[in-house]
Amino acid sequence: MAIQRDDIRSHATELYLCGGLRALSMRNLAARLGVTAPALYRHYASKDEVLRDMVREAYRQSAAYIYRALSAATPLERFRRAGEENLDFALTHPRWYEMMYLSPERFGWSDYPPEVAAHAHATHQFWMDRVRECVDAGYLRAEADIRDVGMTMWAHSHGLITIYMRGLLSLSETEFRDAYRASARRMLLGLGTRKLLSEVQGGEQAGPNRAGETDEYQQTEYSEAYG
């Protein structure tokens, strides 16, 4: 029976998420695939190599969704589209989404291997770029470090998705998508400028600026860590 890496990664992920590192042995994986262990070793030299490829694949799958947002015409449209694509990815591929947010210790690593860390950094940079260009375009207030704004938005999105995926919300997928969008809109409006309020609310008259808020937005620079 011929096996492909996609099959190996898929079954390895199921074994790992259901039983942890102990369940994911090359012997168990071979049995699940209906092949011999030597057949697996023609694709992967070790269990650790399988683990690395599993996490890399999770990030690759995520990128295939969120990078579609780059085709949108404006910073705000790219930001919104990225959020929608991330939600689609999480709900369509919950196993891959979960793999992205496991700590290195869960895989028996002291830190992420360089090739895995590179994927994680690229994903982080993608989201920071979406935040920064919305600040630069005057949609988000630059009253805080861009990293802080990005972290707040990431925590909001990931928290909602995780709560839903854990079965803690009695909502259908359609109901959750609606609730997620409504909550994301509230978050965006809370961090937005008068320009964003005007566009999102269809040109309605925005209320007075918050205390200390002005119509001039000083641009925040990335630190060296975020390029």
Side-chain angles (χ1 to χ4, degrees), residues 36-101:
T36 63
L40 283 182
Y41 285 108
R42 286 197 287 271
H43 295 272
Y44 293 97
S46 66
K47 181 175 81 171
D48 188 66
E49 188 176 327
V50 175
L51 284 168
R52 294 178 184 219
D53 201 25
M54 286 161 54
V55 182
R56 285 197 301 267
E57 182 63 17
Y59 279 104
R60 285 195 293 264
Q61 292 284 344
S62 171
Y65 278 76
I66 62 176
Y67 284 9
R68 295 171 187 166
L70 298 178
S71 65
T74 70
L76 187 57
E77 289 172 0
R78 288 190 287 274
F79 185 91
R80 287 169 164 167
R81 176 80 182 275
E84 283 292 320
E85 293 292 351
N86 184 59
L87 179 61
D88 283 344
F89 166 65
L91 297 181
T92 305
H93 302 287
R95 295 303 201 188
W96 290 132
Y97 184 85
E98 187 173 356
M99 291 292 291
M100 289 175 60
Y101 293 104

Side-chain angles (χ1 to χ4, degrees), residues 11 18 29 35-36 54 67 99 115 129 141 144 170 179 181 193 202 204-205 209 219 223 226:
H11 285 285
C18 291
L29 183 54
V35 300
T36 63
M54 286 161 54
Y67 284 9
M99 291 292 291
E115 67 272 25
D129 288 346
R141 300 196 308 277
S170 299
R181 293 187 184 107
T193 63
E204 296 176 5
Q205 180 65 38
N209 288 356
Q219 304 306 318
S223 67
Y226 296 97

